[in-house]
Amino acid sequence: MKSNLLMEKMTQIQIEYKVLLQKLLPKLKTGFSVQALDEINLFWYRHMDVVRLYLASGFAGDESYVFTAATYLDYDDKEHLPFLLIGKQHILDDPLSKYSSICKSLADGKASHKLYDQIGKTAEDNIKIIENCQGTIFVVPLRLFNQYSSSEEFFEIGERTFASLFIDIEGLKDFFSKCNTIDDILCHARSDIGNLVVFSENDDRSLDFKVRFVEALKENDYMIDESKSDAYNFFMLVYGCIQQAIDVIISCLEYHCIPFVRYPVALHYISLLTENLKATEHIGTIRYKMSIAFVLHNLIDKERLSKIKTKDFITLNEKYDFNKKLFECFESNGINQDTFLRHEVGSLMIEVLENFYVWLESKQ
């Protein structure tokens, strides 16, 4: 299939997906969300061949970024702007397909209005992205198309990674046989577990680990079960983050793209896992460009970028090519995927951003 025909097919799929989301929106915000989410998954399975072809031949590349490990992008808060600034091709990894299994796995009442509200917000945001960023950001459930995420090897990686947090735990069965309380967990844990485990974005790693665990239970009450052991709830808090990180890495390796991650907890676990995969092809590029994208997201002044319409911003950015200028600046200062951890990139990035702001403002 020629590339222009493939892009036309993808654009049509996006239009159909927007119509479907608009139709399902009332259900997605209520207790009928599971049925609506199943319908969304069926939609993507019907288009699986075209989407996989696009991911493999039309999207893959070192300048292709996927906004992932997030509940939604947040178009109203201008989050699409830093995402579009870096790279050449962009996909929003739609999490709605993952919500179906999450809803089904939670005990009755656990999902409650919080999860339904989140699902509704995600669907609404997807609609805005498709409407306003058509042709520049495709909304696609990338990790649903990961051909290895359901394999036994995938789960074995997660189990081994979880077990590596301890000094004498060989797997999940061994963990639950040896651990019940938080004191049991600490008895078997590595001495540096305080640095290896991050419970949430607000987790203060300077505090005692037991205090952090108690605070994490309060903050993530929808994920835990008060009737079960500390070991069970620790597993629920940590293992899901590990599996998400593995899912992101495997998907990005399969489709040769870069994860754009704004959530610090997700970045922590992805970075932790890639540290042990340095010899794997493309991992070095992922680590470097993912880290640069995270810094960019935190330093960017969205207000200065949002003074013009999204369509005009996209056109002007293509002309200016901020992405090229940013990495050329890094390269000229000896910063690349082998050296970036030894450099402070923030000051250079601020300088490149300021030049872009001034140029953009001159075009208004």
Side-chain angles (χ1 to χ4, degrees), residues 230-320:
D230 289 343
Y232 173 84
N233 288 321
F234 176 85
F235 169 79
M236 291 298 292
L237 290 171
V238 176
Y239 193 71
C241 294
I242 291 173
Q243 289 289 60
Q244 181 191 58
I246 294 170
D247 205 2
V248 168
I249 293 168
I250 289 177
S251 297
C252 289
L253 286 174
E254 181 175 359
Y255 294 113
H256 200 88
C257 55
I258 311 298
F260 186 104
V261 181
R262 70 177 178 203
Y263 186 41
V265 176
L267 183 78
H268 170 81
Y269 284 102
I270 295 170
S271 299
L272 191 68
L273 283 159
T274 56
E275 180 69 25
N276 299 315
L277 295 169
K278 288 181 180 179
T280 304
E281 186 179 359
H282 190 53
I283 283 292
T285 305
I286 284 177
R287 284 169 58 81
Y288 174 43
K289 293 197 169 183
M290 174 183 69
S291 300
I292 297 304
F294 181 77
V295 176
L296 176 68
H297 176 267
N298 285 299
L299 291 180
I300 205 165
D301 186 341
K302 291 182 291 185
E303 292 307 311
R304 293 183 71 177
L305 294 181
S306 62
K307 293 177 181 178
I308 59 176
K309 294 179 181 179
T310 296
K311 184 178 180 181
D312 294 332
F313 170 84
I314 292 168
T315 301
L316 287 170
N317 182 43
E318 287 177 354
K319 181 178 180 181
Y320 186 84

XYZ file of all heavy atoms in Angstrom, residues 230-320:
753
model
N -0.290 -5.971 53.565
C 0.622 -4.950 53.045
C 1.313 -5.457 51.781
O 1.534 -4.689 50.833
C 1.691 -4.601 54.089
C 1.142 -3.813 55.258
O 0.029 -3.253 55.140
O 1.829 -3.751 56.292
N 1.656 -6.742 51.796
C 2.362 -7.324 50.648
C 1.506 -7.235 49.387
O 1.995 -6.881 48.308
C 2.739 -8.773 50.931
N 0.224 -7.549 49.527
C -0.686 -7.483 48.380
C -0.777 -6.050 47.860
O -0.687 -5.813 46.648
C -2.076 -7.981 48.771
C -3.118 -7.778 47.688
C -3.274 -8.700 46.660
C -3.940 -6.635 47.681
C -4.211 -8.500 45.661
C -4.876 -6.432 46.681
C -5.012 -7.367 45.678
O -5.941 -7.162 44.685
N -0.946 -5.089 48.760
C -1.108 -3.694 48.345
C 0.192 -3.101 47.806
O 0.165 -2.277 46.894
C -1.657 -2.867 49.507
C -3.118 -3.181 49.787
O -3.899 -3.384 48.865
N -3.489 -3.258 51.055
N 1.331 -3.529 48.359
C 2.626 -3.106 47.816
C 2.760 -3.611 46.377
O 3.184 -2.875 45.484
C 3.759 -3.658 48.677
C 5.136 -3.352 48.153
C 5.760 -2.155 48.460
C 5.819 -4.270 47.351
C 7.034 -1.858 47.978
C 7.093 -3.992 46.864
C 7.693 -2.782 47.187
N 2.399 -4.844 46.173
C 2.435 -5.447 44.841
C 1.545 -4.664 43.877
O 1.953 -4.349 42.751
C 1.982 -6.903 44.915
C 1.738 -7.547 43.575
C 2.794 -7.996 42.805
C 0.447 -7.696 43.095
C 2.570 -8.577 41.563
C 0.213 -8.273 41.858
C 1.276 -8.716 41.092
N 0.334 -4.315 44.307
C -0.592 -3.583 43.452
C -0.045 -2.209 43.073
O -0.217 -1.744 41.949
C -1.948 -3.417 44.160
C -2.723 -4.709 44.316
S -3.160 -5.473 42.738
C -4.346 -4.275 42.093
N 0.626 -1.553 44.005
C 1.167 -0.219 43.751
C 2.377 -0.233 42.817
O 2.550 0.668 41.999
C 1.558 0.442 45.082
C 0.419 0.857 46.020
C 0.981 1.284 47.368
C -0.401 1.985 45.409
N 3.203 -1.261 42.951
C 4.485 -1.277 42.238
C 4.449 -2.090 40.945
O 4.969 -1.649 39.911
C 5.605 -1.817 43.156
C 6.925 -1.938 42.399
C 5.764 -0.905 44.371
N 3.828 -3.255 40.986
C 3.887 -4.158 39.836
C 3.212 -3.565 38.600
O 3.687 -3.742 37.477
C 3.243 -5.495 40.198
C 3.518 -6.598 39.196
C 4.785 -7.154 39.084
C 2.502 -7.081 38.357
C 5.045 -8.165 38.171
C 2.753 -8.087 37.449
C 4.028 -8.629 37.357
O 4.282 -9.624 36.451
N 2.113 -2.827 38.833
C 1.431 -2.201 37.701
C 2.322 -1.198 36.984
O 2.308 -1.106 35.753
N 3.120 -0.444 37.754
C 4.054 0.531 37.163
C 5.127 -0.177 36.349
O 5.522 0.282 35.267
C 4.705 1.368 38.260
S 3.565 2.454 39.154
N 5.600 -1.301 36.878
C 6.624 -2.076 36.172
C 6.075 -2.628 34.859
O 6.711 -2.520 33.803
C 7.143 -3.217 37.072
C 7.949 -2.640 38.240
C 7.987 -4.204 36.266
C 8.355 -3.677 39.273
N 4.865 -3.190 34.922
C 4.269 -3.758 33.715
C 3.983 -2.682 32.671
O 4.166 -2.899 31.471
C 2.969 -4.506 34.056
C 3.194 -5.811 34.812
C 3.803 -6.881 33.916
O 4.883 -6.718 33.370
N 3.123 -7.993 33.766
N 3.530 -1.516 33.138
C 3.296 -0.411 32.200
C 4.601 -0.014 31.507
O 4.636 0.198 30.293
C 2.706 0.792 32.927
C 2.421 1.965 32.000
C 2.097 3.247 32.751
O 2.880 3.733 33.549
N 0.914 3.789 32.495
N 5.682 0.057 32.292
C 6.985 0.428 31.730
C 7.445 -0.595 30.705
O 7.951 -0.230 29.625
C 8.009 0.560 32.857
N 7.277 -1.859 31.006
C 7.669 -2.921 30.070
C 6.830 -2.830 28.798
O 7.341 -2.956 27.676
C 7.511 -4.308 30.724
C 8.494 -4.462 31.886
C 7.724 -5.423 29.701
C 8.244 -5.686 32.735
N 5.534 -2.582 28.976
C 4.623 -2.453 27.845
C 5.059 -1.321 26.920
O 5.101 -1.465 25.690
C 3.215 -2.171 28.389
C 2.120 -2.606 27.431
O 2.449 -3.150 26.367
O 0.935 -2.401 27.753
N 5.414 -0.185 27.515
C 5.865 0.970 26.729
C 7.164 0.640 25.988
O 7.302 0.903 24.784
C 6.068 2.202 27.636
C 6.805 3.315 26.885
C 4.727 2.713 28.151
N 8.119 0.060 26.695
C 9.418 -0.251 26.087
C 9.274 -1.234 24.936
O 9.826 -1.033 23.843
C 10.387 -0.812 27.146
C 10.745 0.269 28.168
C 11.664 -1.341 26.485
C 11.451 -0.260 29.393
N 8.519 -2.307 25.158
C 8.348 -3.323 24.118
C 7.653 -2.731 22.898
O 8.030 -2.995 21.749
C 7.567 -4.535 24.674
C 8.438 -5.314 25.656
C 7.104 -5.441 23.539
C 7.750 -6.487 26.316
N 6.630 -1.900 23.130
C 5.914 -1.272 22.017
C 6.830 -0.353 21.221
O 6.805 -0.348 19.985
C 4.713 -0.474 22.546
O 3.782 -1.317 23.188
N 7.643 0.428 21.934
C 8.545 1.366 21.254
C 9.687 0.647 20.542
O 10.185 1.129 19.524
C 9.080 2.393 22.251
S 7.813 3.578 22.786
N 10.097 -0.490 21.070
C 11.098 -1.290 20.366
C 10.489 -1.935 19.122
O 11.107 -1.958 18.052
C 11.650 -2.380 21.291
C 12.615 -1.928 22.383
C 12.965 -3.097 23.303
C 13.904 -1.341 21.787
N 9.285 -2.433 19.257
C 8.637 -3.100 18.132
C 8.382 -2.138 16.982
O 8.598 -2.483 15.812
C 7.310 -3.726 18.584
C 6.586 -4.455 17.477
C 5.328 -5.174 17.949
O 5.018 -5.138 19.155
O 4.655 -5.769 17.096
N 7.921 -0.934 17.300
C 7.576 0.028 16.257
C 8.610 1.147 16.114
O 8.342 2.160 15.493
C 6.178 0.589 16.512
C 5.117 -0.480 16.372
C 4.380 -0.918 17.466
C 4.897 -1.097 15.134
C 3.422 -1.912 17.335
C 3.945 -2.101 15.003
C 3.214 -2.501 16.102
O 2.281 -3.495 15.963
N 9.767 0.954 16.723
C 10.932 1.827 16.551
C 10.544 3.300 16.696
O 10.710 4.108 15.766
C 11.570 1.586 15.177
C 12.993 2.065 15.101
N 14.061 1.274 15.446
C 13.531 3.264 14.758
C 15.182 1.955 15.290
N 14.888 3.184 14.886
N 10.026 3.655 17.874
C 9.638 5.033 18.129
C 10.094 5.458 19.526
O 10.633 4.650 20.279
C 8.128 5.210 17.967
S 7.127 4.086 18.975
N 9.862 6.720 19.868
C 10.337 7.296 21.117
C 9.158 7.597 22.045
O 8.209 8.271 21.618
C 11.111 8.611 20.865
C 12.162 8.432 19.764
C 11.734 9.111 22.164
C 13.244 7.428 20.073
N 9.185 7.155 23.286
C 8.105 7.500 24.212
C 8.221 8.939 24.714
O 9.294 9.356 25.160
C 8.284 6.502 25.354
C 9.734 6.133 25.326
C 10.168 6.235 23.889
N 7.150 9.692 24.599
C 7.063 11.028 25.180
C 6.320 10.841 26.502
O 5.109 10.611 26.522
C 6.310 11.972 24.245
C 6.292 13.414 24.695
C 7.096 14.354 24.080
C 5.465 13.830 25.729
C 7.085 15.694 24.476
C 5.438 15.156 26.139
C 6.249 16.098 25.518
N 7.050 10.930 27.605
C 6.499 10.626 28.933
C 6.586 11.867 29.818
O 7.673 12.389 30.047
C 7.279 9.462 29.595
C 6.693 9.129 30.962
C 7.269 8.232 28.695
N 5.459 12.345 30.290
C 5.458 13.539 31.145
C 5.306 13.197 32.621
O 5.580 14.012 33.488
C 4.339 14.492 30.730
C 2.942 13.982 31.057
C 1.870 14.982 30.692
N 0.541 14.439 30.968
C -0.566 14.853 30.376
N -0.502 15.813 29.473
N -1.735 14.310 30.676
N 4.854 11.984 32.937
C 4.582 11.579 34.314
C 5.867 11.044 34.943
O 6.423 10.044 34.475
C 3.489 10.515 34.319
C 3.002 10.086 35.687
C 2.799 10.998 36.708
C 2.715 8.740 35.934
C 2.347 10.593 37.949
C 2.249 8.324 37.176
C 2.072 9.253 38.181
O 1.617 8.847 39.417
N 6.387 11.674 36.008
C 7.681 11.277 36.593
C 7.760 9.824 37.039
O 8.815 9.210 36.920
C 7.829 12.227 37.796
C 6.978 13.407 37.460
C 5.814 12.862 36.688
N 6.665 9.272 37.560
C 6.692 7.878 38.022
C 6.910 6.941 36.836
O 7.727 6.013 36.898
C 5.395 7.515 38.771
C 5.399 6.041 39.168
C 5.233 8.395 40.016
N 6.183 7.174 35.753
C 6.353 6.340 34.560
C 7.766 6.470 34.018
O 8.400 5.474 33.644
C 5.331 6.742 33.496
N 8.279 7.698 33.971
C 9.646 7.914 33.494
C 10.653 7.160 34.359
O 11.604 6.564 33.844
C 9.972 9.403 33.502
C 11.354 9.759 32.955
C 11.353 9.708 31.432
C 11.799 11.138 33.427
N 10.436 7.172 35.665
C 11.347 6.484 36.590
C 11.441 4.998 36.260
O 12.543 4.446 36.144
C 10.865 6.668 38.029
C 11.574 5.815 39.023
N 12.811 6.149 39.542
C 11.245 4.613 39.595
C 13.207 5.206 40.390
N 12.277 4.270 40.431
N 10.293 4.336 36.115
C 10.313 2.892 35.894
C 10.788 2.527 34.488
O 11.469 1.512 34.307
C 8.927 2.296 36.181
C 8.647 2.193 37.662
C 7.827 3.117 38.298
C 9.234 1.199 38.436
C 7.581 3.049 39.659
C 8.997 1.118 39.802
C 8.175 2.046 40.409
O 7.947 1.980 41.766
N 10.456 3.343 33.494
C 10.972 3.087 32.142
C 12.490 3.242 32.124
O 13.212 2.422 31.556
C 10.309 4.032 31.117
C 8.810 3.735 31.014
C 10.963 3.865 29.746
C 8.031 4.763 30.206
N 12.980 4.299 32.776
C 14.430 4.524 32.846
C 15.118 3.396 33.599
O 16.209 2.939 33.220
C 14.724 5.864 33.533
O 14.158 6.940 32.816
N 14.488 2.930 34.681
C 15.049 1.840 35.487
C 15.207 0.572 34.660
O 16.236 -0.112 34.713
C 14.140 1.582 36.695
C 14.659 0.664 37.801
C 15.831 1.302 38.536
C 13.526 0.360 38.794
N 14.193 0.277 33.873
C 14.232 -0.929 33.055
C 15.204 -0.796 31.884
O 15.931 -1.738 31.567
C 12.825 -1.245 32.529
C 11.887 -1.871 33.569
C 10.440 -1.694 33.165
C 12.202 -3.350 33.740
N 15.232 0.368 31.248
C 16.146 0.534 30.108
C 17.605 0.535 30.548
O 18.490 0.230 29.755
C 15.851 1.836 29.337
O 15.924 2.959 30.234
C 14.475 1.793 28.694
N 17.851 0.854 31.813
C 19.216 0.804 32.344
C 19.796 -0.598 32.199
O 21.001 -0.779 31.984
C 19.214 1.221 33.818
C 20.564 1.204 34.500
C 21.506 2.277 34.004
O 21.023 3.307 33.504
O 22.734 2.065 34.098
N 18.912 -1.603 32.296
C 19.350 -2.998 32.191
C 19.240 -3.552 30.774
O 19.454 -4.746 30.556
C 18.522 -3.866 33.149
C 18.698 -3.455 34.591
O 19.806 -3.223 35.042
N 17.590 -3.338 35.326
N 18.881 -2.680 29.820
C 18.716 -3.130 28.434
C 19.598 -2.334 27.481
O 19.308 -2.232 26.292
C 17.242 -2.965 28.011
C 16.207 -3.826 28.728
C 14.798 -3.349 28.374
C 16.360 -5.299 28.364
N 20.669 -1.761 28.009
C 21.510 -0.858 27.212
C 22.066 -1.505 25.948
O 22.302 -0.828 24.948
C 22.668 -0.337 28.070
C 22.244 0.675 29.114
C 23.446 1.158 29.904
C 23.049 2.171 30.957
N 24.232 2.620 31.747
N 22.267 -2.801 25.985
C 22.848 -3.480 24.816
C 21.814 -3.713 23.716
O 22.170 -4.037 22.581
C 23.454 -4.817 25.240
N 20.534 -3.515 24.029
C 19.476 -3.740 23.052
C 19.438 -2.607 22.035
O 19.509 -1.431 22.396
C 18.104 -3.830 23.761
O 18.156 -4.858 24.756
C 16.997 -4.150 22.773
N 19.329 -2.960 20.768
C 19.280 -1.961 19.701
C 18.126 -0.997 19.919
O 17.023 -1.416 20.281
C 19.136 -2.658 18.342
C 19.221 -1.716 17.156
C 19.089 -2.446 15.830
O 18.946 -3.683 15.851
O 19.129 -1.765 14.796
N 18.359 0.271 19.696
C 17.382 1.360 19.799
C 17.166 1.849 21.230
O 16.613 2.924 21.421
C 16.030 0.949 19.177
C 15.065 2.091 19.024
N 15.383 3.272 18.385
C 13.778 2.244 19.464
C 14.331 4.090 18.410
N 13.355 3.495 19.051
N 17.612 1.091 22.251
C 17.407 1.514 23.639
C 18.168 2.806 23.931
O 17.660 3.699 24.621
C 17.831 0.404 24.630
C 16.764 -0.682 24.683
C 18.054 0.972 26.032
C 15.444 -0.262 25.309
N 19.379 2.934 23.411
C 20.155 4.145 23.647
C 19.437 5.381 23.128
O 19.399 6.420 23.797
N 18.848 5.267 21.952
C 18.095 6.380 21.372
C 16.853 6.681 22.199
O 16.511 7.845 22.440
C 17.687 6.057 19.923
O 18.854 5.715 19.170
C 16.995 7.230 19.277
N 16.166 5.628 22.651
C 14.979 5.810 23.489
C 15.325 6.553 24.768
O 14.668 7.536 25.141
C 14.339 4.443 23.823
C 13.578 3.890 22.620
C 13.391 4.564 25.023
C 12.969 2.524 22.831
N 16.379 6.112 25.447
C 16.769 6.729 26.722
C 17.102 8.217 26.531
O 16.669 9.070 27.315
C 17.987 6.000 27.307
C 17.656 4.662 27.934
C 18.918 3.869 28.251
N 19.805 4.592 29.156
C 19.664 4.649 30.481
N 18.638 4.042 31.066
N 20.535 5.288 31.233
N 17.832 8.520 25.501
C 18.270 9.891 25.254
C 17.089 10.794 24.890
O 16.818 11.806 25.556
C 19.306 9.888 24.128
C 19.761 11.253 23.659
C 20.057 12.270 24.569
C 19.921 11.521 22.290
C 20.493 13.517 24.126
C 20.360 12.756 21.848
C 20.637 13.750 22.769
O 21.068 14.988 22.350
N 16.365 10.415 23.853
C 15.312 11.298 23.357
C 14.113 11.362 24.301
O 13.438 12.400 24.394
C 14.902 10.877 21.948
C 16.014 11.094 20.930
C 15.522 11.070 19.512
C 16.605 11.556 18.548
N 16.130 11.617 17.155
N 13.831 10.282 25.014
C 12.777 10.309 26.017
C 13.117 11.295 27.133
O 12.263 12.065 27.594
C 12.575 8.908 26.605
C 11.587 8.841 27.762
S 11.452 7.180 28.480
C 13.075 7.027 29.262
N 14.360 11.291 27.571
C 14.808 12.188 28.638
C 14.753 13.647 28.191
O 14.324 14.530 28.943
C 16.228 11.828 29.083
O 16.281 10.508 29.568
N 15.179 13.917 26.959
C 15.143 15.278 26.424
C 13.701 15.764 26.320
O 13.386 16.919 26.649
C 15.835 15.341 25.044
C 17.318 14.989 25.171
C 15.648 16.712 24.416
C 18.104 15.845 26.146
N 12.801 14.893 25.882
C 11.386 15.255 25.765
C 10.795 15.593 27.132
O 9.990 16.528 27.258
C 10.608 14.113 25.113
N 11.194 14.856 28.158
C 10.692 15.108 29.520
C 11.170 16.475 30.013
O 10.394 17.244 30.601
C 11.167 14.011 30.464
C 10.676 14.171 31.881
C 9.372 13.836 32.220
C 11.514 14.660 32.869
C 8.911 13.986 33.523
C 11.069 14.817 34.182
C 9.759 14.481 34.501
N 12.426 16.793 29.783
C 12.967 18.098 30.183
C 12.245 19.220 29.424
O 11.872 20.244 30.002
C 14.488 18.170 29.926
C 15.015 19.565 30.245
C 15.223 17.132 30.775
N 12.033 19.009 28.125
C 11.331 19.996 27.310
C 9.937 20.266 27.863
O 9.515 21.422 27.992
C 11.236 19.505 25.863
C 10.429 20.391 24.901
C 11.141 21.713 24.670
C 10.198 19.671 23.571
N 9.226 19.197 28.204
C 7.871 19.343 28.738
C 7.860 20.193 30.002
O 6.948 20.997 30.222
C 7.262 17.967 29.028
C 5.914 18.045 29.655
N 5.715 18.037 31.017
C 4.681 18.163 29.097
C 4.431 18.138 31.278
N 3.782 18.212 30.133
N 8.889 20.046 30.822
C 8.933 20.766 32.100
C 9.414 22.206 31.963
O 9.103 23.049 32.817
C 9.836 20.023 33.091
C 9.159 18.782 33.654
O 8.135 18.867 34.296
N 9.720 17.618 33.379
N 10.158 22.514 30.912
C 10.717 23.854 30.755
C 9.899 24.762 29.850
O 10.034 25.985 29.911
C 12.144 23.768 30.189
C 13.220 23.184 31.109
C 14.564 23.178 30.399
C 13.325 23.988 32.413
N 9.069 24.208 29.034
C 8.385 24.987 28.007
C 7.363 25.954 28.606
O 6.739 25.664 29.636
C 7.711 24.029 26.998
C 7.529 24.709 25.657
C 6.364 23.526 27.520
C 7.223 23.740 24.544
N 7.234 27.105 27.979
C 6.237 28.103 28.362
C 5.069 27.983 27.385
O 5.077 28.568 26.295
C 6.853 29.511 28.298
C 5.913 30.596 28.817
O 4.695 30.339 28.885
O 6.403 31.690 29.133
N 4.060 27.224 27.790
C 2.942 26.946 26.885
C 2.152 28.207 26.537
O 1.592 28.319 25.445
C 2.023 25.893 27.497
C 2.640 24.505 27.570
C 1.672 23.484 28.135
C 1.395 23.732 29.603
N 0.555 22.678 30.217
N 2.118 29.155 27.460
C 1.372 30.388 27.207
C 1.964 31.163 26.044
O 1.243 31.750 25.236
C 1.345 31.247 28.471
C 0.516 30.653 29.606
C -0.894 30.300 29.165
O -1.553 31.163 28.538
O -1.335 29.171 29.445
N 3.278 31.181 25.946
C 3.926 31.908 24.845
C 3.724 31.196 23.508
O 3.802 31.821 22.447
C 5.413 32.098 25.125
C 5.685 33.026 26.299
C 7.170 33.262 26.502
N 7.755 34.104 25.440
C 9.026 34.502 25.428
N 9.853 34.111 26.420
N 9.501 35.266 24.462
N 3.472 29.890 23.567
C 3.250 29.132 22.340
C 1.789 29.138 21.905
O 1.487 28.900 20.738
C 3.694 27.675 22.526
C 5.182 27.403 22.746
C 5.414 25.908 22.884
C 6.022 27.964 21.609
N 0.901 29.396 22.842
C -0.531 29.226 22.572
C -1.241 30.507 22.140
O -2.467 30.552 22.108
C -1.216 28.652 23.821
O -1.081 29.552 24.919
N -0.460 31.543 21.814
C -1.071 32.805 21.407
C -1.572 32.756 19.962
O -2.248 33.674 19.504
C -0.077 33.950 21.587
C 0.252 34.233 23.052
C 1.299 35.327 23.198
C 1.628 35.561 24.669
N 2.692 36.603 24.838
N -1.209 31.697 19.261
C -1.705 31.518 17.896
C -2.489 30.215 17.826
O -2.340 29.332 18.678
C -0.559 31.494 16.865
C 0.422 30.363 17.188
C 0.148 32.827 16.814
C 1.527 30.226 16.161
N -3.307 30.076 16.814
C -4.136 28.889 16.664
C -3.261 27.657 16.417
O -2.175 27.762 15.855
C -5.115 29.075 15.513
C -6.154 30.165 15.772
C -7.086 30.304 14.582
C -8.118 31.404 14.835
N -9.036 31.571 13.671
N -3.779 26.509 16.822
C -3.032 25.255 16.671
C -2.603 25.020 15.225
O -1.453 24.641 14.962
C -3.876 24.068 17.158
O -4.129 24.209 18.562
C -3.155 22.742 16.924
N -3.502 25.249 14.293
C -3.181 25.023 12.876
C -2.003 25.890 12.438
O -1.087 25.417 11.739
C -4.410 25.319 12.016
C -4.206 25.030 10.541
C -5.484 25.312 9.744
C -5.278 25.025 8.262
N -6.517 25.318 7.481
N -2.014 27.166 12.861
C -0.925 28.080 12.493
C 0.375 27.693 13.207
O 1.462 27.805 12.627
C -1.299 29.519 12.842
C -2.467 30.028 12.009
O -2.633 29.551 10.871
O -3.225 30.884 12.504
N 0.255 27.255 14.454
C 1.433 26.816 15.202
C 2.112 25.643 14.490
O 3.340 25.614 14.350
C 1.040 26.403 16.625
C 2.148 25.727 17.386
C 3.110 26.472 18.041
C 2.241 24.333 17.430
C 4.145 25.861 18.728
C 3.267 23.710 18.116
C 4.221 24.479 18.771
N 1.318 24.703 14.033
C 1.858 23.527 13.345
C 2.599 23.940 12.067
O 3.720 23.483 11.798
C 0.729 22.528 13.016
C 0.182 21.915 14.320
C 1.222 21.427 12.072
C -1.113 21.133 14.143
N 1.990 24.849 11.295
C 2.601 25.319 10.047
C 3.914 26.056 10.315
O 4.932 25.813 9.646
C 1.626 26.240 9.297
O 0.429 25.527 9.003
C 2.252 26.738 7.998
N 3.908 26.931 11.315
C 5.105 27.718 11.626
C 6.223 26.842 12.194
O 7.401 27.048 11.893
C 4.750 28.835 12.613
C 3.937 29.985 12.023
C 3.429 30.911 13.120
C 4.763 30.771 11.006
N 5.854 25.871 13.012
C 6.870 24.975 13.578
C 7.533 24.136 12.491
O 8.733 23.865 12.540
C 6.248 24.076 14.645
C 7.278 23.156 15.294
O 8.387 23.574 15.617
N 6.913 21.894 15.471
N 6.747 23.710 11.507
C 7.317 22.957 10.384
C 8.331 23.811 9.630
O 9.367 23.322 9.178
C 6.195 22.499 9.448
C 5.360 21.355 10.014
C 4.209 20.977 9.092
O 4.000 21.685 8.075
O 3.521 19.986 9.386
N 8.026 25.092 9.498
C 8.928 26.003 8.794
C 10.199 26.259 9.607
O 11.312 26.257 9.068
C 8.208 27.319 8.511
C 9.031 28.343 7.753
C 8.226 29.601 7.479
C 9.061 30.625 6.715
N 8.288 31.879 6.458
N 10.050 26.461 10.911
C 11.189 26.788 11.778
C 12.050 25.564 12.082
O 13.268 25.645 12.175
C 10.663 27.387 13.083
C 11.736 27.899 14.014
C 12.261 29.176 13.860
C 12.209 27.114 15.073
C 13.247 29.662 14.720
C 13.187 27.580 15.934
C 13.701 28.861 15.764
O 14.665 29.331 16.615
